[in-house]
């Protein structure tokens, strides 16, 4: 019964030749790429290469499976590409909203400043006008009294003339000769008047065209920044949002390899606010607690390194670096003004060996961020601008060099560059410096070989979540932790190639 069922199934699957109706298709013509019967093989396809149809079909099935897998991979790639493009579309919309808010904020700053300067100008107008008016009032009072006095004396003279009494005539003549109505006194009185005049005037240092140009410079112009999309070097994962304020800024962050690991995030709501908090989160974004330390120093205590220990006094920084050696950074001010940084490097950390210490001093200005490479040879800072500069500068220092040996020059195609943080990193087998640029939503990969800072490329260009990066650090697993304005925390893992 089983055999009969199989034969019946085989009969049902048999295909007959369209030319020779009663002949079964048994062969496959390689040249014509079609199924043929025995009669076709011996006639029309006599000189053609043929194969057994069953064997050929099995081979074609394998080819179809390969093609199906290839098409499935292509479909997955197209879907991923579509997903990436849609994410880019959303990133453009998000960035548009950020830029629009930036424009409106700058407009609000200019309006507030214009209102403030208007009020100050009006106050100065009132002060100057009151002073001028007071001087004029004094002169007017004096000049109003002078005609009245002359008129009184004139009436005395007229009365003496009319009455013709000796005493009155003698007194009047004496007044005319030596008194206030003498010729000299009257001439002096009538010759006195305003020698100078004063007016309140508006004094300004620039013309209207310059004001408009400076206003336009401050407001900015929107340009299109292009970044070439290359093979990904890191895999970007959106970890968690922190903070409830839309315009909150993460000043620095640090991943502590504890059990379980925690991410320390320090916030600032205004420039270098002393009581800005430091909060602890788990890797999945669960809020743990507030750190007991706050302020500018705590930013730096948790800025870089594997393990931290509290500074012994305000204004000082002690932090373990990412290597086995230990570096102590001592800044003898509140980080808001120029500082002298003493760096003490402990070469040996073996408790059974004597510690070898080397010391060097670096003069830095008011700065926002810093980092030291694993070799302890280079120290880099993000220095705050000093007028007339408006952009921060990234400066590189070398051991035993007091002054900076290189200042980073961003790519020429960037209209502006506002570095927010720096991090030495090993990328693709090379030691590089990563510079976050919050003005252009980018991370610059910078070559530091030879002691010269040189732009190489962008890291993770086109990442839809990379909007105004403000802080970056690396953990012991070579993962990058990144914070963006608004409190979005990203994690970047190296991609194995």
């Amino acid at each position: 019964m089983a055999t009969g069922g199989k034969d019946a199934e085989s009969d049902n699957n048999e295909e007959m030749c369209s030319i020779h109706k009663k002949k079964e298709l048994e062969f496959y013509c390689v040249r014509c790429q079609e199924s043929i019967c025995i009669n076709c093989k011996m006639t029309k396809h006599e000189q053609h290469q043929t194969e057994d149809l069953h064997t050929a079909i099995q081979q074609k099935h394998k080819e179809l499976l390969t093609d199906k897998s290839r098409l499935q991979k292509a479909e997955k790639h197209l879907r991923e590409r579509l997903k990436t493009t849609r994410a880019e579309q959303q990133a453009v919309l998000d960035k548009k909203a950020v830029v629009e808010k930036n424009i409106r904020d700058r407009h609000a700053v200019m309006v507030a400043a214009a209102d403030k300067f208007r009020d100050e100008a009006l106050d100065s107008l009132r002060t100057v006008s009151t002073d001028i008016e007071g001087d004029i009032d004094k002169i007017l009072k004096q000049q109003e009294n002078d005609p009245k006095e002359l008129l009184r004396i004139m009436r005395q003279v007229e009365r003496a003339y009319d009455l013709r009494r000796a005493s009155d005539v003698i007194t009047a003549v004496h007044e005319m000769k030596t008194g206030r109505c003498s010729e000299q006194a009257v001439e002096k009185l009538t010759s006195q008047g305003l020698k100078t005049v004063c007016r309140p005037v508006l004094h300004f240092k620039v013309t209207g065209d310059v004001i408009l140009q400076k206003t336009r410079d401050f407001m900015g112009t929107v340009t299109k920044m292009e970044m070439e999309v290359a093979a990904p070097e890191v895999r970007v994962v959106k970890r968690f949002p922190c903070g409830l304020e839309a315009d909150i800024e993460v000043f620095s962050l640090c991943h502590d390899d504890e059990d379980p690991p925690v991410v320390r995030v320090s916030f600032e709501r205004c420039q270098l606010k002393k009581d800005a908090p430091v909060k602890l989160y788990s890797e999945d974004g669960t809020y743990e607690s507030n750190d007991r330390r706050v302020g500018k120093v705590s930013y730096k205590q948790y800025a870089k390194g594997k393990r931290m220990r509290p500074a012994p006094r305000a204004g000082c920084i002690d932090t373990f670096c990412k290597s086995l050696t230990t570096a102590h950074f001592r800044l003898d001010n509140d980080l808001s003004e120029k500082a002298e940084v003493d760096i003490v490097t402990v070469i040996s950390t073996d408790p059974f060996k004597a510690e070898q210490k080397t010391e060097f001093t670096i003069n830095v200005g008011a700065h926002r961020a810093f980092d030291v490479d694993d070799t302890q040879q280079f120290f880099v800072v993000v220095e705050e601008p000093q007028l007339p500069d408006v952009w921060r500068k990234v400066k590189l220092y070398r051991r035993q060099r007091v002054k900076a040996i290189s200042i980073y020059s961003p790519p020429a195609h960037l209209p502006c560059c506002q570095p927010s943080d720096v991090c030495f990193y090993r990328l693709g087998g090379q030691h590089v410096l990563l510079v976050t640029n919050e003005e252009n939503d980018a991370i610059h990969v910078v070559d530091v070989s030879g002691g010269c800072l040189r732009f190489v490329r962008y890291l993770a260009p086109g990442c839809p979540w990379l909007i105004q990066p403000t802080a970056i650090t690396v953990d012991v697993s070579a993962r990058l932790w990144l914070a963006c304005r608004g409190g979005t925390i990203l994690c970047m893992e190296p991609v194995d190639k």
Side-chain angles (χ1 to χ4, degrees):
M1 295 294 293
T3 303
K6 183 177 181 180
D7 292 341
E9 181 181 355
S10 177
D11 293 340
N12 292 335
N13 291 332
E14 290 179 356
E15 295 185 53
M16 309 307 290
C17 181
S18 60
I19 299 175
H20 307 94
K21 304 297 184 182
K22 294 184 179 182
K23 294 297 182 179
E24 180 185 351
L25 298 175
E26 302 180 66
F27 303 96
Y28 174 74
C29 178
V30 177
R31 177 178 175 180
C32 301
Q33 297 186 3
E34 61 181 35
S35 303
I36 59 176
C37 67
I38 185 63
N39 289 352
C40 294
K41 175 179 173 65
M42 298 177 65
T43 56
K44 182 181 178 181
H45 302 271
E46 183 179 4
Q47 300 299 324
H48 298 177
Q49 179 185 352
T50 60
E51 298 177 353
D52 178 70
L53 181 61
H54 179 71
T55 303
I57 292 301
Q58 287 183 334
Q59 180 61 33
K60 298 300 179 184
H61 277 171
K62 292 180 181 179
E63 293 177 4
L64 288 176
L65 287 177
T66 302
D67 290 338
K68 180 182 177 181
S69 176
R70 176 173 55 81
L71 292 176
Q72 286 176 338
K73 290 182 179 179
E75 182 193 20
K76 181 179 179 181
H77 175 75
L78 292 177
R79 290 184 180 276
E80 289 295 329
R81 186 180 68 179
L82 179 61
K83 181 180 178 181
T84 301
T85 304
R86 284 176 175 167
E88 175 63 17
Q89 181 187 43
Q90 184 60 45
V92 171
L93 295 176
D94 294 342
K95 182 58 179 176
K96 175 185 175 183
V98 170
V99 173
E100 181 178 351
K101 182 179 182 300
N102 196 354
I103 292 173
R104 295 187 183 279
D105 289 345
R106 287 174 175 269
H107 176 261
V109 168
M110 287 191 293
V111 170
D115 289 344
K116 177 176 179 293
F117 298 149
R118 176 203 60 196
D119 294 340
E120 291 178 355
L122 291 176
D123 288 341
S124 64
L125 174 61
R126 282 189 287 268
T127 300
V128 172
S129 298
T130 300
D131 184 50
I132 296 174
E133 292 169 4
D135 293 339
I136 292 179
D137 286 342
K138 293 179 181 178
I139 295 174
L140 283 176
K141 289 180 180 179
Q142 180 63 40
Q143 291 182 350
E144 288 173 353
N145 289 329
D146 289 340
K148 294 178 181 179
E149 180 66 19
L150 287 179
L151 183 60
R152 184 185 63 81
I153 297 175
M154 285 177 59
R155 288 174 180 172
Q156 290 181 355
V157 171
E158 291 174 354
R159 185 171 57 253
Y161 181 81
D162 293 338
L163 296 177
R164 298 181 181 273
R165 289 188 301 189
S167 59
D168 292 338
V169 172
I170 293 173
T171 301
V173 172
H174 180 75
E175 185 71 24
M176 292 297 102
K177 297 294 184 181
T178 60
R180 294 189 58 188
C181 288
S182 65
E183 183 176 356
Q184 295 81 1
V186 172
E187 182 178 356
K188 181 179 179 181
L189 183 63
T190 55
S191 63
Q192 291 178 350
L194 293 175
K195 303 299 184 182
T196 60
V197 293
C198 297
R199 302 286 189 276
V201 296
L202 183 62
H203 176 68
F204 48 89
K205 297 180 180 180
V206 293
T207 63
D209 292 340
V210 175
I211 293 175
L212 292 178
Q213 183 60 47
K214 293 299 182 182
T215 302
R216 184 178 292 107
D217 291 343
F218 178 78
M219 179 63 71
T221 56
V222 180
T223 58
K224 182 169 65 175
M225 176 183 172
E226 295 184 8
M227 291 184 289
E228 183 178 352
V229 178
E233 298 174 286
V234 292
R235 184 183 300 106
V236 184
V237 180
K238 189 176 182 180
R239 283 291 183 169
F240 58 89
C242 58
L244 301 177
E245 301 177 26
D247 59 346
I248 196 170
E249 180 174 349
V250 174
F251 190 80
S252 66
L253 75 163
C254 176
H255 180 277
D256 281 357
D257 190 24
E258 299 177 354
D259 188 19
V262 295
V263 180
R264 299 179 186 270
V265 181
S266 61
F267 300 90
E268 68 163 350
R269 293 180 177 84
C270 65
Q271 184 69 14
L272 298 178
K273 186 174 181 180
K274 292 184 178 180
D275 60 350
V278 178
K279 297 183 179 181
L280 276 65
Y281 296 87
S282 63
E283 286 193 352
D284 62 0
T286 304
Y287 172 73
E288 298 290 339
S289 62
N290 274 14
D291 192 278
R292 63 187 180 87
R293 297 180 184 87
V294 295
K296 290 177 289 187
V297 175
S298 62
Y299 293 154
K300 300 304 178 183
Q301 288 173 353
Y302 301 124
K304 309 291 177 191
K306 177 180 177 182
R307 295 187 179 89
M308 315 299 167
R309 62 184 180 185
R313 57 191 173 86
C316 290
I317 298 171
D318 283 353
T319 173
F320 286 97
C321 284
K322 299 179 286 295
S323 63
L324 294 177
T325 58
T326 302
H328 304 280
F329 308 96
R330 296 197 299 269
L331 289 87
D332 295 329
N333 71 340
D334 62 358
L335 309 185
S336 62
E337 298 177 356
K338 289 186 177 181
E340 203 173 68
V341 182
D342 298 330
I343 301 181
V344 181
T345 304
V346 181
I347 303 301
S348 173
T349 56
D350 189 335
F352 298 101
K353 295 181 180 179
E355 293 185 347
Q356 302 176 9
K357 296 184 178 181
T358 58
E359 302 184 10
F360 60 101
T361 301
I362 294 174
N363 294 320
V364 300
H367 60 285
R368 175 188 174 91
F370 69 93
D371 196 16
V372 174
D373 75 326
D374 291 341
T375 66
Q376 306 296 310
Q377 295 298 317
F378 293 106
F379 180 78
V380 65
V381 298
V382 179
E383 191 173 273
E384 293 290 354
Q386 298 179 358
L387 293 177
D389 294 333
V390 295
W391 305 112
R392 304 186 189 110
K393 293 182 178 179
V394 177
K395 294 185 176 182
L396 180 69
Y397 297 83
R398 190 197 294 269
R399 179 187 297 276
Q400 307 300 339
R401 297 288 184 89
V402 175
K403 296 183 179 180
I405 62 173
S406 180
I407 300 177
Y408 178 54
S409 296
H413 66 269
L414 282 182
C416 51
C417 179
Q418 190 71 307
S420 53
D421 202 356
V422 286
C423 179
F424 284 102
Y425 191 61
R426 189 173 183 84
L427 187 63
Q430 295 181 338
H431 290 285
V432 297
L433 176 68
L434 302 180
V435 179
T436 55
N437 179 7
E438 63 178 302
E439 194 70 23
N440 292 290
D441 307 334
I443 302 176
H444 298 192
V445 179
V446 180
D447 181 19
V448 294
S449 60
C452 182
L453 299 176
R454 181 180 62 85
F455 173 81
V456 178
R457 60 186 179 277
Y458 295 106
L459 182 66
C463 176
W465 305 308
L466 190 60
I467 298 180
Q468 292 187 292
T470 59
I472 189 171
T473 190
V474 61
D475 65 13
V476 293
S477 302
R479 295 179 300 175
L480 289 169
W481 291 83
L482 187 77
C484 297
R485 189 176 296 278
T488 300
I489 305 298
L490 307 179
C491 182
M492 297 183 174
E493 301 177 353
V495 175
D496 296 330
K497 297 184 179 180

